[in-house]
């Protein structure tokens, strides 16, 4: 008769399942299997299993004990290193000197210094390199392994090398590697005596003889070559050059249906156009065209134009209006005689990282309607290739034929006249030409990316079989406006924005609800969303439940689509007719042109000659008389709703004619 001794906590295996014996007697055994849990095995079951060879006792394995106990000093250093490397890793440029300094300041502010010392940037850079190399393990970074040979370069020496490289090499148009090495040798020689004394002290303690010498040329070159390539070129060449150099396209943008991906962007054109004012005059403005293109069909699904009298800049107002036009399923042309072939809610929109495309109100509007927003990296046009390629086509085939367009400017070319002097088109004519090109020319041109088909042919082939368009609550989207401000509900008057009154029944109900809330100062303050391109209505966000209330304008002579500038111009005309005062709005000053500079020089020279030609007595007589004095009863300056207006009143005099200066 054979006998089997089973001990408690022994590792066993039954029919391929491993377990641990929890309790054992002569009649039964309780085994805790890894997958089946606790099971009771009787003595005859074990005997059969042993005879069949499906039960065996596993040999005892050696247990490794890892000491995890750390001293308070080690725990403190662990926290500092972890906070530093995680902050660097979360940054877009982890190994830049600016990021390293911010990471060290952040870690020290949270946990304090290490043994009273501030970590050096070189140490933080070494922490990060080891942390990345070993799978983001802080314990590996702090592990003190025994080295066979002591390094010739102490931490102070490495800090000196990093300081020279940061100061001389890592900057825009910085020194070459050889020049940086020469500067390092000069700095090393200046600190040689101090470092030699330190090495002598270390040798006396460690009973070793280590000579303090500079880094060789080959080692210095290798040290610089081990720097992060992108970070180095980003600092020395610039962000745009580094992005272009290290750009990579992992996969092409492939879409399977319309409106799956829509790319939007703005193009600044070197042309000036005329904008008609309410008084019949023209103001010269610069256009910025915002366009949205569908990636699958290459159809233009919306565009808008923004104008600026001064230096043109992209605005969130135009971006919000563009998104509204994209989501509008029924879009008519400006003349109303044709429809856009494609429209509706897109699944995703791709835009750049500019403030206009990345505004908070734009993100809230897209998030509320379930539209995904892709923000591309700065100076990365290849991440929106379709809209960038369309702008090249738009400039070459459309803008080049517009009167007054000068094309892209280069450093070696010059023009005889300014853009304002060459302006011929009005804003309406400019938009008509652009829209005609989009719908009639571009949509009917063969496209190489569409296998020689036109965008309209692709749409006509798939519009009957493609998935239905996702319904979009277009009315709720029109409630969003790109500008925000805080206003107080003025009782029964409602809300005032830009000198205009807005009121409705829902706003009054909200006012009475807020009025009942006692003990809260300023409880009638509400957030207002408005748009200067359309002042016919605003949207009030209820502070109680974040409900959106569309409030119409109750002021006179305000209609849908009226802009704030047009309203100010009309109001100034009404005031001029009522008071009988001649008004003239100042046109934008065109500074910097050769003609303006010559006129200014001639004017100043003429005034200088007149002053020099007069004697001292004549000068005093001129300044004391009414001719040389600016009297308040002749000329006054006023301001109507933020618009600079020069008002001149003609006051007859017995000695001189009425002034006709405007």
């Amino acid at each position: 008769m054979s006998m089997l001794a089973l001990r408690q906590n022994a590792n066993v295996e039954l029919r391929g399942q491993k377990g641990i014996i929890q309790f054992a007697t002569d009649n039964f055994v309780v085994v805790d299997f890894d997958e089946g849990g606790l099971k009771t095995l009787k003595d005859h079951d074990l005997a059969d299993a042993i005879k069949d060879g499906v039960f065996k006792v596993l040999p005892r394995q050696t247990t490794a004990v890892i000491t995890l106990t750390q001293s308070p000093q080690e725990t403190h250093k662990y926290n500092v290193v972890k906070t530093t490397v995680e902050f660097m890793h979360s940054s877009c440029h982890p190994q830049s000197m600016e990021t390293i300094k911010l990471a060290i300041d952040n870690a020290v502010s949270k946990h304090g210094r290490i043994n009273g010392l501030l970590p050096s940037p070189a140490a933080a850079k070494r922490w990060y390199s080891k942390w990345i190399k070993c799978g983001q393990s802080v314990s590996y970074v702090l592990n003190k392994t025994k080295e066979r040979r002591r390094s010739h370069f102490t931490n102070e020496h490495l800090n000196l090398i990093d300081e020279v490289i940061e100061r001389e090499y890592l900057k825009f148009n910085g020194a070459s590697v050889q020049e940086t090495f020469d500067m390092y040798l000069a700095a090393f020689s200046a600190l040689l005596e101090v470092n030699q004394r330190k090495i002598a002290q270390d040798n006396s303690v460690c009973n070793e003889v280590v000579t303090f010498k500079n880094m060789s040329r080959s080692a210095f070159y290798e040290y610089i070559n081990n720097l992060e390539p992108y970070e180095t070129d980003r600092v020395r060449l610039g962000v745009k050059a580094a992005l272009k150099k290290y750009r990579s396209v992992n996969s092409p943008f492939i879409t399977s249906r319309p409106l799956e991906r829509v790319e939007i962007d703005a193009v600044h054109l070197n042309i000036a156009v005329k904008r008609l004012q309410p008084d019949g005059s023209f103001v010269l403005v610069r256009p910025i065209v915002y366009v949205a293109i569908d990636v699958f069909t290459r159809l233009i699904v919306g565009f808008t134009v923004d104008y600026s009298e001064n230096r043109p800049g992209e605005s969130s107002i135009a971006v919000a209006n563009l998104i509204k036009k994209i989501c509008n399923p029924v879009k008519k042309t400006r003349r109303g005689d044709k429809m856009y072939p494609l429209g509706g809610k897109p699944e995703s929109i791709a835009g750049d990282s500019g403030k206009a495309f990345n505004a908070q109100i734009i993100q809230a509007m897209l998030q509320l309607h379930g539209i995904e927003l892709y923000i591309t990296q700065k100076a990365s046009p290849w991440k929106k290739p379709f809209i960038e390629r369309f702008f090249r086509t738009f400039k070459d085939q459309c803008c080049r034929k517009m009167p007054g367009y000068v094309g892209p400017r280069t450093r070696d070319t010059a023009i005889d006249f300014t853009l304002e002097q060459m302006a011929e088109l009005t804003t309406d004519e400019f938009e008509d030409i652009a829209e005609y090109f989009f719908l009639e020319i571009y949509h009917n041109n063969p496209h190489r990316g569409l296998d020689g088909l036109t965008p309209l042919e692709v749409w006509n082939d798939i519009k009957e079989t493609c998935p239905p368009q996702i319904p979009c609550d277009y009315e709720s989207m029109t409630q969003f406006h790109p500008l925000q401000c805080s206003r107080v509900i003025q009782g029964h008057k409602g809300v005032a924005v830009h000198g205009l009154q807005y009121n409705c029944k829902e706003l009054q109900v909200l006012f009475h609800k807020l009025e009942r809330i006692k003990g809260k100062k300023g409880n009638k303050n509400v957030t207002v969303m408005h748009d200067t391109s359309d002042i016919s209505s605003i949207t009030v966000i209820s502070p109680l439940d974040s409900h959106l209330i569309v409030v119409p304008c109750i002021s006179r002579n305000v209609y849908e689509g009226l802009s704030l500038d047009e309203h100010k111009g009309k109001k100034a005309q009404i005031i001029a007719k009522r008071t009988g005062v001649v008004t003239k709005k100042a046109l934008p000053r065109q500074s910097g042109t050769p003609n303006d500079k010559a006129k200014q020089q001639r004017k100043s020279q003429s005034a200088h000659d007149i002053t020099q030609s007069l004697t001292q007595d004549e000068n005093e007589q001129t300044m004391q008389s009414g001719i040389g004095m600016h009297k308040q009863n002749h000329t006054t300056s006023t301001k109507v709703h933020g618009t600079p207006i020069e008002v001149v009143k003609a006051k007859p005099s017995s000695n001189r004619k009425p002034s006709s200066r405007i």
Side-chain angles (χ1 to χ4, degrees):
M1 177 181 293
S2 60
M3 300 179 65
L4 178 65
L6 299 177
R7 68 180 185 277
Q8 193 173 352
N9 296 330
N11 296 325
V12 297
E13 182 179 353
L14 176 63
R15 297 184 179 88
Q17 294 186 4
K18 296 181 180 180
I20 300 175
I21 297 178
Q22 298 290 340
F23 185 75
T25 63
D26 298 339
N27 299 326
F28 63 90
V29 177
V30 179
V31 182
D32 186 7
F33 290 99
D34 296 340
E35 298 181 357
L38 294 175
K39 290 186 179 180
T40 303
L41 303 177
K42 296 183 179 180
D43 53 355
H44 57 82
D45 294 332
L46 285 175
D48 295 339
I50 292 173
K51 292 179 180 179
D52 297 337
V54 296
F55 179 84
K56 58 182 177 179
V57 180
L58 300 178
R60 179 181 296 180
Q61 298 179 354
T62 304
T63 303
V65 180
I66 300 176
T67 304
L68 301 178
T69 305
Q70 293 181 346
S71 63
Q73 293 79 8
E74 292 176 346
T75 304
H76 173 69
K77 187 175 182 180
Y78 179 90
N79 295 331
V80 173
V81 173
K82 181 179 180 182
T83 305
T84 303
V85 296
E86 288 181 351
F87 185 92
M88 294 172 60
H89 191 65
S90 62
S91 175
C92 297
H93 312 292
Q95 294 193 15
S96 64
M97 188 58 62
E98 182 179 359
T99 302
I100 293 175
K101 292 180 180 179
L102 291 176
I104 293 175
D105 294 340
N106 179 54
V108 171
S109 63
K110 290 183 178 180
H111 308 289
R113 300 190 176 192
I114 300 177
N115 297 328
L117 300 177
L118 190 69
S120 63
K125 189 178 294 186
R126 290 193 296 271
W127 293 346
Y128 184 78
S129 300
K130 292 183 65 176
W131 185 69
I132 291 295
K133 188 181 299 183
C134 66
Q136 301 182 0
S137 173
V138 181
S139 299
Y140 180 83
V141 176
L142 299 177
N143 185 23
K144 298 180 181 179
T145 58
K146 295 183 179 180
E147 299 180 357
R148 296 182 179 179
R149 185 180 61 182
R150 186 178 177 183
S151 176
H152 293 291
F153 308 114
T154 61
N155 291 334
E156 292 79 6
H157 194 174
L158 294 176
N159 291 339
L160 175 64
I161 296 173
D162 290 335
E163 181 182 351
V164 174
I165 292 175
E166 176 68 23
R167 184 180 67 248
E168 305 296 340
Y169 184 76
L170 295 179
K171 65 180 182 180
F172 187 72
N173 293 333
S176 63
V177 182
Q178 179 60 40
E179 294 173 345
T180 308
F181 178 71
D182 295 338
M183 296 175 186
Y184 153 71
L185 292 180
F188 176 81
S189 300
L191 299 177
L192 181 59
E193 295 182 0
V194 177
N195 290 328
Q196 280 182 340
R197 286 197 295 267
K198 290 183 179 180
I199 291 297
Q201 294 176 0
D202 293 342
N203 292 340
S204 62
V205 174
C206 302
N207 296 324
E208 296 181 6
V209 178
V210 179
T211 59
F212 186 74
K213 61 180 182 179
N214 62 280
M215 182 180 287
S216 63
R217 187 190 308 272
S218 59
F220 188 85
Y221 271 67
E222 185 180 358
Y223 190 85
I224 286 187
N225 290 334
N226 290 332
L227 297 176
E228 180 69 21
Y230 172 76
E231 296 294 336
T232 304
D233 290 338
R234 185 181 68 87
V235 177
R236 291 178 57 84
L237 305 178
V239 177
K240 293 184 179 180
L243 287 174
K244 186 177 181 180
K245 182 178 180 180
Y246 293 96
R247 65 178 180 174
S248 62
V249 180
N250 297 327
S251 61
F253 295 100
I254 300 176
T255 55
S256 58
R257 54 192 176 276
L259 296 178
E260 182 179 357
R261 177 185 172 93
V262 173
E263 294 182 356
I264 61 175
D265 204 353
V267 58
H268 299 248
L269 302 176
N270 289 329
I271 187 175
V273 294
K274 302 176 182 179
R275 182 166 62 184
L276 180 64
Q277 297 296 101
D279 57 356
S281 61
F282 289 95
V283 175
L284 302 179
V285 292
R286 303 279 186 91
I288 304 176
V289 184
Y290 299 77
V291 183
I293 186 172
D294 176 56
V295 173
F296 183 80
T297 60
R298 307 295 200 275
L299 289 173
I300 302 300
V301 293
F303 88 99
T304 183
V305 185
D306 187 24
Y307 301 97
S308 175
E309 296 184 14
N310 300 320
R311 183 175 297 178
E314 299 174 4
S315 66
S316 57
I317 300 177
V319 177
N321 293 332
L322 176 63
I323 295 175
K324 293 176 184 179
K325 289 187 177 181
I326 296 172
C327 297
N328 188 4
V330 181
K331 292 190 289 289
K332 293 185 178 180
T333 58
R334 299 181 70 253
R335 302 302 178 186
D337 56 348
K338 195 171 182 180
M339 300 287 295
Y340 277 75
L342 180 60
K345 172 184 172 182
E347 299 180 26
S348 62
I349 291 179
D352 57 26
S353 58
K355 295 181 179 179
F357 296 91
N358 201 18
Q360 184 178 4
I361 189 64
I362 301 297
Q363 294 183 357
M365 181 170 61
L366 297 178
Q367 185 177 5
L368 181 63
H369 293 83
I371 302 175
E372 192 172 0
L373 177 62
Y374 291 103
I375 300 297
T376 60
Q377 196 174 359
K378 181 181 179 181
S380 303
W382 57 88
K383 295 187 178 181
K384 309 190 306 295
F386 303 101
I387 189 66
E388 298 291 346
R389 182 62 183 87
F390 168 77
F391 282 152
R392 289 172 52 191
T393 303
F394 178 55
K395 291 179 181 179
D396 294 340
Q397 300 183 8
C398 180
C399 299
R400 189 168 54 86
K401 301 177 181 178
M402 293 182 180
Y405 178 73
V406 288
R409 310 300 302 140
T410 58
R411 183 175 298 179
D412 299 332
T413 59
I415 55 177
D416 297 333
F417 304 97
T418 63
L419 296 179
E420 287 76 12
Q421 293 173 344
M422 295 188 296
E424 296 185 20
L425 299 176
T426 63
T427 55
D428 291 338
E429 293 173 347
F430 176 80
E431 294 183 19
D432 288 342
I433 294 174
E435 190 175 48
Y436 179 82
F437 172 77
F438 296 155
L439 300 181
E440 300 296 337
I441 300 178
Y442 176 75
H443 283 179
N444 292 281
N445 278 349
H447 201 290
R448 185 176 61 180
L450 301 176
D451 298 331
L453 300 177
T454 65
L456 276 179
E457 291 175 349
V458 175
W459 168 245
N460 292 329
D461 292 342
I462 200 175
K463 66 179 181 180
E464 301 296 337
T465 59
C466 69
Q469 298 180 8
I470 304 175
C472 179
D473 190 359
Y474 182 69
E475 294 183 359
S476 65
M477 180 166 287
T478 56
Q479 298 176 2
F480 283 86
H481 301 295
L483 301 179
Q484 289 188 7
C485 62
S486 179
R487 290 292 184 269
V488 178
I489 304 179
Q490 305 172 356
H492 62 281
K493 295 182 180 180
V495 175
V497 180
H498 295 302
L500 302 172
Q501 290 296 137
Y502 296 86
N503 202 358
C504 67
K505 185 177 180 180
E506 294 184 11
L507 186 64
Q508 290 298 308
V509 173
L510 176 62
F511 168 75
H512 293 298
K513 288 182 180 180
L514 296 176
E515 195 176 22
R516 294 190 185 96
I517 302 177
K518 304 296 182 181
K520 186 178 180 181
K521 296 182 180 180
N523 56 355
K524 301 181 184 63
N525 288 344
V526 293
T527 302
V528 177
M529 294 187 294
H530 61 97
D531 188 354
T532 55
S533 63
D534 187 0
I535 60 175
S536 61
S537 64
I538 61 174
T539 302
V540 175
I541 303 177
S542 173
L544 301 178
D545 53 2
S546 300
H547 180 65
L548 301 182
I549 303 174
V550 179
V551 185
C553 182
I554 59 175
S555 299
R556 298 179 57 185
N557 301 323
V558 176
Y559 52 86
E560 185 177 358
L562 180 66
S563 65
L564 181 62
D565 293 338
E566 293 175 349
H567 173 71
K568 288 181 178 180
K570 292 183 178 180
K571 192 171 182 179
Q573 281 189 334
I574 295 175
I575 295 175
K577 291 180 181 180
R578 185 184 304 168
T579 58
V581 180
V582 180
T583 61
K584 181 179 179 181
K585 184 176 180 181
L587 293 177
R589 184 179 179 183
Q590 304 172 11
S591 60
T593 60
N595 294 333
D596 291 339
K597 293 181 180 179
K599 291 179 181 179
Q600 187 68 20
Q601 292 177 358
R602 289 196 299 269
K603 184 177 179 181
S604 60
Q605 183 66 28
S606 176
H608 179 72
D609 295 340
I610 292 174
T611 306
Q612 294 294 331
S613 63
L614 297 176
T615 63
Q616 183 176 2
D617 296 337
E618 291 174 342
N619 282 330
E620 294 179 355
Q621 184 179 1
T622 302
M623 297 305 298
Q624 292 175 1
S625 64
I627 299 176
M629 299 175 62
H630 296 280
K631 295 188 177 181
Q632 297 294 333
N633 57 354
H634 289 286
T635 305
T636 59
S637 179
T638 182
K639 195 173 184 181
V640 180
H641 293 286
T643 304
I645 298 176
E646 186 181 358
V647 183
V648 179
K649 297 182 180 180
K651 185 176 180 179
S653 176
S654 59
N655 297 329
R656 52 182 187 153
K657 297 181 181 181
S659 175
S660 59
R661 173 177 172 270
I662 297 179

